[in-house]
Amino acid sequence: MNKRMIVLIALVVAVVAVPASAETLEVRGNVVDLDPGGAQPYLVWNAANFGAFWYDLDDNLMTEELTITAGTLSMWDRTIDEECLIYQTSPVYQQYEVNRNEGLTVDGDTGYYLEGWMAERYVAINGKADTLCKLLVEFEDDDNETLVEYKPWNMTGGFALDAQIGLEGTNVLLVLSKNGSELDSEVVSAGEVYTYTTNIGGESDVPVFSCYVDAIYIVNNTTQVKYVFLIDDDVLEIETGDEFGIMEATASSNYINLSNKEDTVDLGAGNTEHIMGNMYFRTADNDGTGEDYRLRFYPFVEYTEPGTYKVRGNVVNLVGAQPDLVWNAANFGAFWYDLDDDLMTESFRIEANSLNGIIDDRSVDKMNLSYATHPVHQTYQLWENEGLLLSGVDNRTHYFIEGWMGEKYVAINGMADKLTKLLVEFEDDDTETLYLGKKWNLSDGFALELVDIDDTGNKATLQLHKDGVPLTDSLKCINTGPGSTRQDRVYTYLKDVAGEDNIPIFSCYVVAVFKGDISYVQLMYVFLIDDEVLEIETGDEFGVMEATASTNYLTLANKKDTVDLSPDNTEHIMGNIYFKTANDTSAIRFYPFVERTIGGEEPTPPPETIPAKDTDHDGVPDVWDADNSTTPGYWVNSDGIGRRWGDMNGDGKLTSVDALMILQAAAEKINL
């Protein structure tokens, strides 16, 4: 029974209708690693230790909290029982930026109410927790937008703002529209606030949009606006009994509580359990031979919308003397982490007493900020899943991973100071179908081409390209036919880089070869690293940090520069890593963060050569189907010939003979 061939055919048909999936970003909360010998305490995630939850650093405001009741879990009990997982949120007052900076009001109001809801920022209409609108735009401090006359500014959510300057240049007509239809217009002078209100969610005169007209320039027909505020006019009204994922709501105007009233949560090894919205739990897959079996997991939120996201580490709120402050992958979601094996390599440290909240000492002196990383052993998926080896290299079963400034790198031959980016790594059942004469664009200029399939349909010739140029010694013939072994199906491309010989740049496993009207191969366990290597030497500088390098480890410290954590400061440390400090003189409150960007989705055009028609809906396109009348629910082979599930001898009946064949196959006496 060729299960992989069936899966392949189903994927080929599906790709006709499914666009390319968007890039995703996972923002995780603090990792839980339960002590096998101890009782589980209350487990609580909020904005201080879960970077996806909404947080106002300046005012230390947070509203969301996710809790697992104490005693629910143990090493041997991985189930969160009903009503033991609780999510809470409530509205908090937020001052309008125009009031904070200019002393002006929005339709008479000095502020509004914010509420984090399933890791997104909402406005609670008139402070009601159960009546929410998305906060679409909020300008801060010096943010501004210049409006060109008769050229509408497209904001978001279909909203647009147009400006038409009066004849004398002392005022401007602002026109607000949504989806091309005008909502409101008003003549406003420089130094005034324009506000659009409407009735939504059963509430009257709700401010949906406001802005401050900072300047009008008749010379070039432009208007500058500041303190823009925009909420969606589509309202989410939450009622008691409403369900969100596995959670059920208890709602009032003051708070929202959700709990798993009717569903348990399974934290079994390797599980990814959906909670609500884009929020999940992920559990370590560590119940195999030689693994630690510990219950290790974390909550995370998955983002797919294009944009720039801030991935922050645990928040520090310092009012007195400062202890040793350490961030690693367990409490800083930007650092690389392998949950299954509990592997992490990066740590970020501020030495104790570098800062002091009592005397307002906000400067991290030289040598008091350090960053350290090192390589760790990682098994190739090819070896882990199939017991097969890469060809022509010493480390045929494993490589070395090293987190470096919040990115995942490969340490060449386990050398901490020779790093290259890990571009592609397929896991478990990930597959790719490559068609004859086509190139698969992998990443960073690399592409794999299926050059030829021989007449027998057993041998496939593959070649790796970079920037459109075939790579030397990358043309290889893979034999899957009679007399070949599974090891013969492994393609490996080696190259000498950074003074190291025979480094595996690319490898894959050829699962299947098909030659016909449409010819292709199916690939698994794809692995690709860049052939450009970052070589780090002692004395190299990265931002304010200077390196001390060896083959075993890398340490960086602020040897020449102090780090300023003054109020409202964003201080660059190195690479994409920063410290953000609250605009608050009463405490030293800050966090490290990394910015991640998701690009826009590009739809995949349907391949012209893939036949979509499948008359009997058995998963095999008609062009390959030897029987277009398969009974619904029957198992089919790669030729589309079907039979009932359990009918092992194909006689159309379910008898004791079939049961005997199944038992013999289970005992490995026969192959099915």
Side-chain angles (χ1 to χ4, degrees), residues 55 57-59 310 315-316 355 360 362 364 563-571 578-585 587-593:
Y55 181 56
L57 176 66
D58 292 342
D59 297 320
K310 188 178 291 184
V315 178
V316 173
L355 305 166
D360 202 35
R362 293 172 170 266
V364 182
V563 176
D564 179 17
L565 298 182
S566 296
D568 200 28
N569 195 29
T570 300
E571 186 84 340
Y578 298 80
F579 279 129
K580 176 66 177 173
T581 313
N583 188 11
D584 184 357
T585 58
I588 305 174
R589 189 166 52 254
F590 66 102
Y591 54 70
F593 74 92

Side-chain angles (χ1 to χ4, degrees), residues 290-537:
E291 295 182 306
D292 64 14
Y293 285 84
R294 292 173 69 99
L295 177 51
R296 190 165 49 249
F297 67 102
Y298 56 72
F300 72 95
V301 168
E302 186 175 73
Y303 296 100
T304 58
E305 289 295 318
T308 299
Y309 298 85
K310 188 178 291 184
V311 183
R312 65 177 184 262
N314 276 16
V315 178
V316 173
N317 191 25
L318 190 64
V319 293
Q322 175 233 315
D324 209 26
L325 298 175
V326 179
W327 294 268
N328 55 34
N331 62 6
F332 189 6
F335 283 166
W336 172 76
Y337 182 55
D338 183 321
L339 175 66
D340 294 344
D341 297 318
D342 195 27
L343 295 178
M344 59 184 81
T345 75
E346 300 172 270
S347 65
F348 209 28
R349 180 186 300 269
I350 298 178
E351 299 295 330
N353 300 315
S354 301
L355 305 166
N356 193 306
I358 298 175
I359 62 175
D360 202 35
D361 180 1
R362 293 172 170 266
S363 180
V364 182
D365 294 331
K366 297 173 185 177
M367 298 298 294
N368 282 357
L369 176 65
S370 62
Y371 167 88
T373 189
H374 62 277
V376 291
H377 176 283
Q378 191 86 337
T379 303
Y380 284 115
Q381 291 289 318
L382 179 65
W383 172 255
E384 183 174 306
N385 290 281
E386 302 290 344
L388 299 176
L389 306 169
L390 270 64
S391 304
V393 292
D394 293 333
N395 296 326
R396 306 177 72 188
T397 63
H398 63 276
Y399 60 103
F400 294 88
I401 281 282
E402 184 170 330
W404 170 247
M405 296 199 292
E407 300 276 356
K408 184 164 65 171
Y409 280 77
V410 169
I412 300 298
N413 280 346
M415 304 177 79
D417 55 351
K418 294 184 178 182
L419 303 178
T420 187
K421 278 196 172 183
L422 177 55
L423 301 177
V424 180
E425 185 179 31
F426 276 19
E427 296 187 358
D428 302 330
D429 295 328
D430 294 344
T431 62
E432 178 68 24
T433 303
L434 181 59
Y435 295 90
L436 184 62
K438 300 294 184 181
K439 289 181 182 177
W440 171 29
N441 292 317
L442 293 151
S443 180
D444 287 43
F446 285 96
L448 184 67
E449 180 183 10
L450 176 56
V451 177
D452 183 49
I453 296 177
D454 76 342
D455 291 339
T456 67
N458 294 323
K459 296 179 180 179
T461 302
L462 301 171
Q463 184 157 45
L464 191 65
H465 301 249
K466 187 173 185 185
D467 298 328
V469 179
L471 294 173
T472 304
D473 299 326
S474 71
L475 187 68
K476 299 178 186 291
C477 180
I478 303 298
N479 185 9
T480 65
S484 66
T485 66
R486 292 171 63 246
Q487 184 64 51
D488 293 331
R489 294 170 176 255
V490 179
Y491 173 100
T492 307
Y493 168 68
L494 309 175
K495 184 178 179 180
D496 298 342
V497 294
E500 305 295 319
D501 296 335
N502 294 329
I503 302 303
I505 302 297
F506 176 83
S507 65
C508 66
Y509 178 68
V510 179
V511 178
V513 179
F514 183 86
K515 187 175 181 68
D517 294 336
I518 300 169
S519 301
Y520 58 86
V521 295
Q522 186 187 31
L523 309 175
M524 293 181 72
Y525 312 120
V526 176
F527 178 87
L528 173 67
I529 63 174
D530 205 344
D531 57 359
E532 296 180 5
V533 178
L534 171 64
E535 298 187 67
I536 302 168
E537 299 179 353

Side-chain angles (χ1 to χ4, degrees), residues 225-237:
V225 295
K226 298 176 67 176
Y227 314 123
V228 175
F229 175 87
L230 173 65
I231 65 173
D232 204 343
D233 54 4
D234 290 331
V235 180
L236 171 64
E237 297 184 75

Side-chain angles (χ1 to χ4, degrees), residues 27-327:
V27 178
R28 66 177 181 263
N30 277 15
V31 179
V32 172
D33 191 1
L34 285 186
D35 180 359
Q40 175 236 313
Y42 273 95
L43 299 175
V44 181
W45 294 268
N46 55 34
N49 63 4
F50 189 2
F53 282 165
W54 170 75
Y55 181 56
D56 183 316
L57 176 66
D58 292 342
D59 297 320
N60 197 27
L61 296 177
M62 60 185 82
T63 76
E64 299 173 272
E65 189 171 275
L66 184 67
T67 303
I68 298 176
T69 304
T72 305
L73 300 168
S74 71
M75 184 173 175
W76 311 112
D77 182 1
R78 292 171 169 258
T79 300
I80 303 175
D81 295 326
E82 290 93 339
E83 300 198 43
C84 289
L85 178 64
I86 301 163
Y87 169 87
Q88 299 172 302
T89 190
S90 58
V92 291
Y93 178 79
Q94 188 87 334
Q95 189 177 10
Y96 281 118
E97 288 293 323
V98 71
N99 184 256
R100 185 195 305 268
N101 291 279
E102 303 291 340
L104 301 174
T105 64
V106 174
D107 197 42
D109 295 328
T110 60
Y112 59 101
Y113 290 86
L114 265 179
E115 185 172 327
W117 169 249
M118 295 200 293
E120 294 197 63
R121 188 171 59 163
Y122 280 77
V123 169
I125 302 301
N126 286 342
K128 294 187 173 182
D130 55 353
T131 308
L132 303 178
C133 287
K134 273 195 174 182
L135 178 54
L136 300 178
V137 181
E138 185 179 34
F139 278 16
E140 296 184 357
D141 302 330
D142 295 329
D143 294 343
N144 64 78
E145 180 70 24
T146 299
L147 307 177
V148 179
E149 195 167 28
Y150 299 110
K151 291 185 178 179
W153 169 36
N154 294 313
M155 291 179 285
T156 185
F159 289 92
L161 185 66
D162 195 7
Q164 301 167 24
I165 298 174
L167 294 177
E168 297 181 0
T170 58
N171 54 39
V172 60
L173 175 66
L174 295 179
V175 181
L176 182 69
S177 61
K178 184 177 183 183
N179 298 327
S181 298
E182 182 176 325
L183 297 174
D184 187 51
S185 63
E186 186 175 321
V187 175
V188 187
S189 299
E192 293 182 342
V193 177
Y194 163 63
T195 303
Y196 164 66
T197 66
T198 190
N199 302 332
I200 55 176
E203 303 294 320
S204 302
D205 299 326
V206 176
V208 170
F209 175 83
S210 68
C211 68
Y212 172 76
V213 178
D214 188 50
I216 301 169
Y217 302 103
I218 194 171
V219 175
N220 58 2
N221 296 322
T222 61
T223 301
Q224 184 170 285
V225 295
K226 298 176 67 176
Y227 314 123
V228 175
F229 175 87
L230 173 65
I231 65 173
D232 204 343
D233 54 4
D234 290 331
V235 180
L236 171 64
E237 297 184 75
I238 304 168
E239 298 180 354
T240 295
D242 286 351
E243 295 182 355
F244 302 89
I246 63 167
M247 308 290 275
E248 185 177 319
T250 300
S252 76
S253 60
N254 297 318
Y255 65 86
I256 302 290
N257 279 0
L258 289 85
S259 67
N260 60 326
K261 293 186 178 180
E262 298 181 358
D263 296 277
T264 59
V265 180
D266 180 13
L267 299 182
N271 272 8
T272 298
E273 189 84 344
H274 179 240
I275 306 304
M276 56 183 177
N278 295 322
M279 196 180 306
Y280 302 80
F281 280 126
R282 174 162 288 144
T283 312
D285 189 3
N286 59 346
D287 62 347
T289 304
E291 295 182 306
D292 64 14
Y293 285 84
R294 292 173 69 99
L295 177 51
R296 190 165 49 249
F297 67 102
Y298 56 72
F300 72 95
V301 168
E302 186 175 73
Y303 296 100
T304 58
E305 289 295 318
T308 299
Y309 298 85
K310 188 178 291 184
V311 183
R312 65 177 184 262
N314 276 16
V315 178
V316 173
N317 191 25
L318 190 64
V319 293
Q322 175 233 315
D324 209 26
L325 298 175
V326 179
W327 294 268

